[in-house]
Amino acid sequence: MIRVFLLDDHEVVRRGLRELLESEGDIEVVGESGSAQEAIARIPALRPQVAVLDARLPDGSGIDVCREIRSVDPTIQGLILTSFEDDEALFAAIMAGAAGYVLKQIRGSDLVNGVRQVAAGSSLLDPAVTQRVLERIRNPQHMPDQLKNLTEQERKILGYVADGLTNRQIAAQMFLAEKTVKNYVSSLLSKLGLERRTQAAILAVKLKDHP
């Protein structure tokens, strides 16, 4: 059974999603919430394979929730569900480590298949868009001036952040202590004038359009 958690501030939407998913027989909804903060508290304990997250909530966003829960348990796959086709939100989802980003207008059968794909470890993000963002971040020749202030190590870590890796995963990749990676992330965000990882989405939009 594929374990799924639902986050949407509209009860009728959650009820519809639950009925759609559980009618398939191989998917079990293990929890649901209408609040970002409640979801952040509950999801790691319930350990779903997939968290279907509404992008816009009264007390936050599904993208923030995705980043928070994956920093606690990177095995949980985030599937962002949104009513809006928004480049900035798409890049934010990439930065937060989401495995998928789909519009609410998606057909029910396609959403079910999307949940199955994400649970199996596949990505529903457009690989061309993802790759373009990562290349622009990693290639100093195509960087805005503020990125050129980063050290090579900081640029490398920013690339891993863009891949959606947690500090722990970055530390394993680079053979560094997790605390060292945390310090690097704090430093690079400070140099970029950002407070949180998801704000790097604004930077990603700039990179997309940068000559």
Side-chain angles (χ1 to χ4, degrees):
M1 293 287 285
I2 299 170
R3 294 165 55 82
V4 175
F5 187 96
L6 303 175
L7 170 60
D8 194 291
D9 57 320
H10 295 101
E11 182 188 357
V12 68
V13 173
R14 296 199 307 273
R15 186 176 298 178
L17 287 171
R18 178 186 282 271
E19 289 177 1
L20 170 69
L21 295 172
E22 292 197 329
S23 68
E24 293 297 310
D26 62 334
I27 299 173
E28 176 189 8
V29 176
V30 296
E32 61 179 72
S33 176
S35 152
Q37 294 307 310
E38 183 187 9
I40 289 170
R42 293 185 60 205
I43 291 174
L46 291 169
R47 301 203 63 187
Q49 289 155 275
V50 180
V52 179
L53 308 167
D54 188 6
R56 299 190 182 188
L57 298 156
D59 65 334
S61 79
I63 293 168
D64 289 336
V65 173
C66 180
R67 188 188 72 255
E68 293 287 343
I69 61 175
R70 283 182 55 79
S71 71
V72 175
D73 186 347
T75 66
I76 298 172
Q77 304 299 323
L79 181 58
I80 308 298
L81 196 58
T82 179
S83 304
F84 308 96
E85 196 160 4
D86 178 348
D87 265 4
E88 186 173 323
L90 171 59
F91 288 124
I94 292 171
M95 294 293 186
Y101 183 92
V102 295
L103 296 176
K104 285 186 177 177
Q105 294 91 316
I106 191 172
R107 289 170 50 193
S109 58
D110 291 336
L111 179 61
V112 171
N113 288 332
V115 167
R116 290 186 181 123
Q117 285 180 49
V118 168
S122 299
S123 172
L124 292 184
L125 295 166
D126 182 339
V129 173
T130 307
Q131 192 58 35
R132 188 163 68 244
V133 174
L134 300 187
E135 284 174 0
R136 292 296 176 93
I137 287 174
R138 290 186 174 129
N139 187 346
Q141 298 305 314
H142 296 288
M143 286 184 182
D145 289 341
Q146 68 265 36
L147 281 195
K148 293 176 182 175
N149 295 329
L150 300 183
T151 65
E152 184 178 346
Q153 192 85 317
E154 287 169 342
R155 281 200 294 266
K156 191 171 184 180
I157 287 175
L158 181 58
Y160 282 127
V161 170
D163 276 332
L165 272 64
T166 64
N167 287 350
R168 186 179 305 167
Q169 291 171 315
I170 295 170
Q173 289 278 351
M174 299 183 68
F175 304 101
L176 296 171
E178 188 175 346
K179 186 175 181 182
T180 302
V181 172
K182 185 178 180 182
N183 291 339
Y184 271 122
V185 171
S186 297
S187 172
L188 69 88
L189 291 180
S190 175
K191 286 182 181 180
L192 296 172
L194 306 175
E195 293 178 5
R196 298 182 301 169
R197 289 183 182 216
T198 48
Q199 290 177 304
I202 298 166
L203 173 63
V205 173
K206 288 181 184 176
L207 293 174
K208 173 176 177 279
D209 298 323
H210 200 266

